[in-house]
Amino acid sequence: MVLSFGIWDRSADFLQSQRVDNYLTKHIEEFDFIIVGAGSAGSVLANRLSSNPDYSVLLLENGGNPNPIQNVPFYFQSLLHIPEIDYGYYTVPQKHACLAMKEQRSYWPREMGLGGTSNLNCMFWQRSSPHDYERWAKLSGSDEWRFDNILRNFKNIEDYHGQYYNEKWHSQKGNGIYVSTVGHDNLVDEFLEAGREMGYPTKDVNGNQEPSFSRLDVSIKEGRRFGAYPGFWPVLDRTNLFIYRYAHSRREIIISAGAIDSPKLLMLSGIGPKKHLESLGIECRISLPVGKNLMDHIMIIFGPFIVDTPGKTNVPGRDITLNTVADYFTNRRGIMASAIAANAVAYIHSPFSKESGNLRNKSPDIQLLLVPANPNLPETFEEYASVKPGLIRRYMKGMNFTVKMVENTEAFRRIGTRLINRHFPGCEKYELKTDRYYECYARHMTSTVYHQSGTCTMGYGPEDPKAVVDSKLRVLHAKGLRVIDASIIPEIPNGNINAAVIMIADKASEFILDYWAQVDNSVPLQPTSSSSSRYASKGNR
């Protein structure tokens, strides 16, 4: 029923978008800005740039409005693989990972439509460590990307109503993404207490993040998904904002098609690695390392764990009843108000991170996610993009930490929690709870966390061999072209990246508006907290 409604709604929206009067009555040939892609970044850009009535903005998007069923967090997995909603990308077969997956390939869903993949994600709202953004500033050669300078942008895009409100770190102005704290409490108290037993405080990981345990913040409002569409699209009635095809740009074209399709569009346009483009019969107009820095977080779904005390976990076959459904649609609460029933998170340093010292200036490299469902498990993922032999040890240590926490702390002992005494298929020859077993398990159960990024890397300029865009996100050696989405991330931060992508777009909109306000004196300067004089410096536009 869910799938059928999803396909029907998508088809009806598509037919409506094809009506001739949608285009002919307001057809315009030239715009100030053309935005390609209405995902998490494109939504912010369309909102911010069209806020100035003197600019005309055109948005090109392959999809339409989100499917109404996507509002229900619990249904997110049911809407994957629908071709009318999801591009459904897959990786090539992996040699050292994804061994338990079909053809050893990783599935990479991508949403089409207003709001983009924020309509398909798990809605975890994680800013990542301030140390990650200090690295961005060094790699880009611009202090604009230091955490102190982007905290304002994080607050610009956030309407925070979670458990950890503090005006230094969060905003409640009512604009942008509505952020709340997961309401269902299964195993949360035990998880946080176990963390304290192991020496980790309980605190807001979206503030000044340090190794700690925390309740989970999510982009959910009153039990409903709150992605980029409700956050930034109440502007569809603006007379200077248009959504259609075939147009030219007076000032800039902004590509916001995501970490997969943005580099694809650049390469199809002749911007990319010269040898690669020529091998495909594409004339190389600008030779840049497009697509060369693909990064992703890897997740190990680890367990299952057994809990002897009844009522501490959520078992779908037992706990999802008609009363559960009725409670959700009546009160917008319960397990259906969460995508995968996750409700707490922790960030820790692996032993290898500790060995290198100076932890005060380093981001935790392992995230633990508590999912008190069947199977009942924490999940781990960390900051590296591939499962190379030398890096698999971090996953092994993450799993070892999890087992010690679950089996050795008083918090979990009281409820009788332990790792199941059974081997994962394919790992029978290794003794349970050993490094060799953990390595075998990790190589089978490696999975993406859908955080693809880095394919149009931000760098310090034309002299940077890894850079595709500069610190203002302008494509090097090109005029009037920027890339603004997850693809510009130079190093993937240690948390879920949707908040970072939306922040990037908010920051970039300031760059654009300030620059053009100075170039075109007829357009009033938009106030920001940054010095706009730097935006008129020499460089490509």
Side-chain angles (χ1 to χ4, degrees), residues 195-331:
R196 290 191 291 271
E197 286 187 51
M198 300 190 74
Y200 294 93
T202 300
K203 62 172 297 183
D204 178 12
V205 296
N206 283 323
N208 186 23
Q209 188 199 95
E210 63 182 65
S212 55
F213 282 51
S214 172
R215 291 177 180 268
L216 185 65
D217 283 343
V218 290
S219 52
I220 293 176
K221 181 178 183 180
E222 297 174 353
R224 298 168 68 89
R225 175 187 293 273
F226 204 97
Y229 181 74
F232 300 101
W233 281 109
V235 296
L236 289 172
D237 59 344
R238 287 179 179 170
T239 58
N240 63 329
L241 176 62
F242 303 84
I243 304 175
Y244 65 76
R245 304 170 182 170
Y246 309 116
H248 303 283
S249 170
R250 278 193 292 260
R251 286 178 168 82
E252 295 189 23
I253 292 176
I254 303 162
I255 298 178
S256 298
I260 299 173
D261 286 308
S262 284
K264 176 183 175 181
L265 285 173
L266 287 180
M267 287 191 278
L268 288 173
S269 304
I271 302 174
K274 188 173 189 294
K275 289 184 179 180
H276 179 62
L277 295 183
E278 290 177 346
S279 72
L280 298 172
I282 300 174
E283 178 187 356
C284 182
R285 299 176 181 272
I286 302 175
S287 183
L288 289 171
V290 176
K292 292 291 188 180
N293 191 39
L294 175 63
M295 297 175 289
D296 189 14
H297 283 137
I298 289 174
M299 173 174 64
I300 309 297
I301 302 177
F302 182 47
F305 292 89
I306 296 171
V307 177
D308 289 337
T309 304
K312 288 292 183 179
T313 62
N314 299 308
V315 181
R318 179 195 68 197
D319 298 331
I320 304 299
T321 65
L322 289 178
N323 288 335
T324 307
V325 177
D327 186 39
Y328 172 76
F329 285 104
T330 302
N331 301 309

Side-chain angles (χ1 to χ4, degrees), residues 69-122:
I69 289 181
Q70 291 176 301
N71 290 330
V72 183
F74 188 73
Y75 287 151
F76 95 102
Q77 287 182 312
S78 302
L79 294 168
L80 300 177
H81 298 282
I82 298 178
E84 290 81 6
I85 294 175
D86 177 12
Y87 285 104
Y89 294 127
Y90 283 86
T91 67
V92 298
Q94 303 295 296
K95 294 181 180 180
H96 305 293
C98 304
L99 302 183
M101 312 304 169
K102 185 177 180 181
E103 299 177 352
Q104 296 179 208
R105 302 168 72 198
S106 179
Y107 167 55
W108 286 7
R110 299 280 99 183
E111 162 82 12
M112 58 185 76
L114 302 182
T117 305
S118 72
N119 298 327
L120 279 183
N121 69 354
C122 287

Side-chain angles (χ1 to χ4, degrees), residues 272-471:
K274 188 173 189 294
K275 289 184 179 180
H276 179 62
L277 295 183
E278 290 177 346
S279 72
L280 298 172
I282 300 174
E283 178 187 356
C284 182
R285 299 176 181 272
I286 302 175
S287 183
L288 289 171
V290 176
K292 292 291 188 180
N293 191 39
L294 175 63
M295 297 175 289
D296 189 14
H297 283 137
I298 289 174
M299 173 174 64
I300 309 297
I301 302 177
F302 182 47
F305 292 89
I306 296 171
V307 177
D308 289 337
T309 304
K312 288 292 183 179
T313 62
N314 299 308
V315 181
R318 179 195 68 197
D319 298 331
I320 304 299
T321 65
L322 289 178
N323 288 335
T324 307
V325 177
D327 186 39
Y328 172 76
F329 285 104
T330 302
N331 301 309
R332 296 287 189 268
R333 67 187 184 191
I335 192 173
M336 290 184 65
S338 175
I340 59 173
N343 55 13
V345 66
Y347 290 89
I348 65 172
H349 284 288
S350 73
F352 306 104
S353 180
K354 293 177 181 178
E355 287 172 5
S356 59
N358 198 22
L359 295 183
R360 290 181 177 272
N361 298 318
K362 187 181 299 182
S363 304
D365 58 346
I366 293 178
Q367 184 199 69
L368 304 176
L369 184 66
L370 177 67
V371 185
N374 183 25
N376 169 34
L377 45 91
E379 300 174 324
T380 71
F381 70 85
E382 44 89 89
E383 63 178 322
Y384 295 95
S386 60
V387 189
K388 298 177 182 178
L391 299 179
I392 195 69
R393 295 180 300 165
R394 295 179 185 267
Y395 301 102
M396 294 154 48
K397 297 303 181 182
M399 288 184 279
N400 185 57
F401 176 93
T402 302
V403 172
K404 286 184 177 180
M405 176 182 69
V406 168
E407 295 189 345
N408 296 341
T409 61
E410 181 61 27
F412 279 112
R413 278 180 174 175
R414 285 198 300 267
I415 59 174
T417 307
R418 61 198 180 279
L419 181 67
I420 191 172
N421 188 29
R422 187 181 304 169
H423 285 78
F424 188 84
C427 301
E428 292 86 352
K429 63 181 179 180
Y430 302 115
E431 183 181 351
L432 287 171
K433 303 179 187 177
T434 63
D435 284 350
R436 295 298 300 275
Y437 177 76
Y438 292 144
E439 177 181 0
C440 178
Y441 188 103
R443 292 197 182 280
H444 278 77
M445 288 298 287
T446 34
S447 174
T448 177
V449 197
Y450 319 118
H451 295 171
Q452 293 83 31
S453 55
T455 48
C456 300
T457 301
M458 172 175 62
Y460 54 79
E463 300 80 15
D464 187 341
K466 296 182 179 180
V468 174
V469 300
D470 66 8
S471 64

Side-chain angles (χ1 to χ4, degrees), residues 5-18:
F5 182 83
I7 294 172
W8 172 85
D9 181 77
R10 166 73 181 184
S11 299
D13 188 53
F14 173 77
L15 291 174
Q16 171 66 21
S17 72
Q18 300 304 297

Side-chain angles (χ1 to χ4, degrees), residues 14 18 23 27 58-62 243-247:
F14 173 77
Q18 300 304 297
Y23 301 97
H27 187 76
L58 171 66
L59 177 73
L60 302 181
E61 168 54 45
N62 193 32
I243 304 175
Y244 65 76
R245 304 170 182 170
Y246 309 116

Side-chain angles (χ1 to χ4, degrees), residues 49-66:
L49 298 183
S50 66
S51 66
N52 191 320
D54 294 314
Y55 289 141
S56 59
V57 179
L58 171 66
L59 177 73
L60 302 181
E61 168 54 45
N62 193 32
N65 295 337

